[in-house]
C-alpha cells in the first residue's frame, strides 16, 4: 500500500484526468434509472461488456419493474444466462422489481438507505446509481478503484470502505462528481492488474507505485 498523497499532488492528478476527459461516463448501457440499477446489480463479478451484451435485448422488453415481473424469472434467466451467478441475480432482480412495484409505486428511490434495502443492491451499486443518475458525488469502490487508490497513493486503504473514505476525504470537492469514473477507467485501461501500462500513464510521475513497468 502506497502512502497517502498530499492535496496538491492529488489536485494535479485530477487536473490531468479532467484535461484528458472532462466528462467521463460509465460503460454500462441503460435507458432509465431502473435499467441502470438492474445493470449495475448484474455487473457484480462480471464485465460491463458482458452485461451490455445480455441486457440490450432484455431492456427492450423489460425497462420497468412491472415489465420485468411480466417477463417472469424464466424469461429473465434466458436473457442473462451468459452472466456469472445469473440464477441468483435473476432471483434478486425479480424480488427487487416486486418491492419497487409494491412499496415505491414502480419508481427507484434516490436515497442510499432505500437503495441498499433492495435485494441484490449493495453500497457499491447504490453509489453508482446515485452518482450516474442523480449526480451525487457518491464513490463506488470496485476492484479497479481499490487497486488504483492503493497503488498510486490517491486513496490508500485496507478495504473498500477505507478507500471510499479516503476518496471523500482527500480528493478535492470539485473533482468528486467524476472521481470514481476517472479512477475506474484508469484502472480498466491503464493501471491494469497484472502489468500496468506505466509507459502510457499520464500520472506516472506523480504516482507512488514502486514497481512501475518500463
Amino acid at each position: 500500500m502506497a502512502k497517502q498523497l498530499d492535496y496538491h499532488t492529488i489536485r494535479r492528478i485530477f487536473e490531468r484526468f479532467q484535461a484528458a476527459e472532462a466528462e467521463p461516463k460509465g460503460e454500462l448501457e441503460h435507458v432509465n434509472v431502473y435499467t441502470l440499477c438492474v445493470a449495475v446489480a448484474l455487473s457484480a463479478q462480471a464485465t460491463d461488456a458482458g452485461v451490455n451484451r445480455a441486457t440490450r435485448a432484455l431492456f427492450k422488453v423489460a425497462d420497468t419493474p412491472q415489465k420485468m415481473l411480466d417477463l417472469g424469472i424464466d424469461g429473465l434467466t434466458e436473457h442473462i444466462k451468459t452472466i456469472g451467478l445469473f440464477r441468483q441475480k435473476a432471483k434478486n432482480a425479480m424480488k427487487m422489481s416486486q418491492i419497487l412495484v409494491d412499496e415505491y409505486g414502480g419508481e427507484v428511490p434516490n436515497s442510499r438507505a432505500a437503495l441498499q434495502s433492495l435485494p441484490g443492491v449493495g453500497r457499491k451499486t447504490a453509489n453508482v446509481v446515485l452518482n450516474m443518475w442523480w449526480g451525487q458525488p457518491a464513490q463506488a469502490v470496485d476492484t479497479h478503484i481499490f487497486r488504483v487508490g492503493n497503488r498510486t497513493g490517491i486513496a490508500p486503504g485496507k478495504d473498500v470502505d477505507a478507500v471510499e473514505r479516503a476518496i471523500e476525504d482527500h480528493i478535492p470537492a470539485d473533482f468528486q462528481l467524476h472521481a470514481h469514473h476517472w479512477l475506474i477507467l484508469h484502472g480498466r485501461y491503464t493501471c491494469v492488474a497484472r502489468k500496468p501500462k506505466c509507459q502510457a500513464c499520464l500520472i506516472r510521475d506523480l504516482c507512488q507505485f514502486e514497481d512501475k513497468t518500463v
Side-chain angles (χ1 to χ4, degrees), residues 6-25:
D6 63 81
Y7 171 86
H8 297 290
T9 303
I10 291 175
R11 173 162 282 284
R12 288 173 66 195
I13 285 172
F14 281 90
E15 285 172 348
R16 293 184 190 180
F17 285 152
Q18 186 178 59
E21 188 169 7
E23 297 283 335
K25 304 294 183 184

Side-chain angles (χ1 to χ4, degrees), residues 14 16-27 131-132 174-186 189:
F14 281 90
R16 293 184 190 180
F17 285 152
Q18 186 178 59
E21 188 169 7
E23 297 283 335
K25 304 294 183 184
E27 296 182 324
N131 181 278
M132 288 182 64
D174 46 326
F175 297 118
Q176 287 277 338
L177 179 60
H178 294 310
H180 98 271
H181 279 131
W182 280 316
L183 293 171
I184 284 173
L185 294 171
H186 190 63
Y189 297 110

Side-chain angles (χ1 to χ4, degrees), residues 18-174:
Q18 186 178 59
E21 188 169 7
E23 297 283 335
K25 304 294 183 184
E27 296 182 324
L28 283 171
E29 297 172 8
H30 57 282
V31 296
N32 54 32
V33 65
Y34 170 69
T35 55
L36 174 61
C37 196
V38 172
V40 179
L42 292 176
S43 72
Q45 295 179 278
T47 66
D48 287 1
V51 172
N52 290 338
R53 284 193 295 271
T55 57
R56 283 179 194 130
L58 171 64
F59 292 156
K60 288 179 180 178
V61 296
D63 61 355
T64 69
Q66 187 58 59
K67 288 180 183 177
M68 188 69 79
L69 293 174
D70 294 342
L71 179 64
I73 193 163
D74 290 340
L76 172 58
T77 301
E78 185 63 26
H79 277 284
I80 67 169
K81 63 185 180 182
T82 57
I83 300 174
L85 307 176
F86 69 93
R87 295 190 190 281
Q88 185 59 49
K89 289 176 181 179
K91 292 177 183 177
N92 286 336
M94 298 306 288
K95 290 177 183 177
M96 176 175 69
S97 300
Q98 190 69 61
I99 291 171
L100 291 175
V101 168
D102 292 345
E103 299 182 19
Y104 295 97
E107 301 293 325
V108 176
N110 64 351
S111 80
R112 182 182 286 110
L115 284 167
Q116 285 187 237
S117 73
L118 299 171
V121 178
R123 186 177 180 88
K124 186 185 80 169
T125 297
N127 282 350
V128 171
V129 174
L130 291 171
N131 181 278
M132 288 182 64
W133 194 261
W134 283 292
Q136 295 186 23
Q139 306 302 330
V141 178
D142 69 351
T143 55
H144 297 300
I145 292 182
F146 186 80
R147 179 174 66 254
V148 172
N150 277 292
R151 266 186 185 166
T152 61
I154 292 171
K158 293 182 179 180
D159 54 41
V160 293
D161 291 337
V163 170
E164 182 180 333
R165 287 194 300 272
I167 291 172
E168 293 172 346
D169 289 347
H170 295 286
I171 293 175
D174 46 326

Side-chain angles (χ1 to χ4, degrees), residues 174-206:
D174 46 326
F175 297 118
Q176 287 277 338
L177 179 60
H178 294 310
H180 98 271
H181 279 131
W182 280 316
L183 293 171
I184 284 173
L185 294 171
H186 190 63
R188 186 172 288 163
Y189 297 110
T190 303
C191 194
V192 295
R194 294 188 179 179
K195 192 176 181 182
K197 301 171 184 177
C198 299
Q199 72 281 3
C201 177
L202 62 124
I203 63 166
R204 61 185 176 276
D205 57 316
L206 304 174

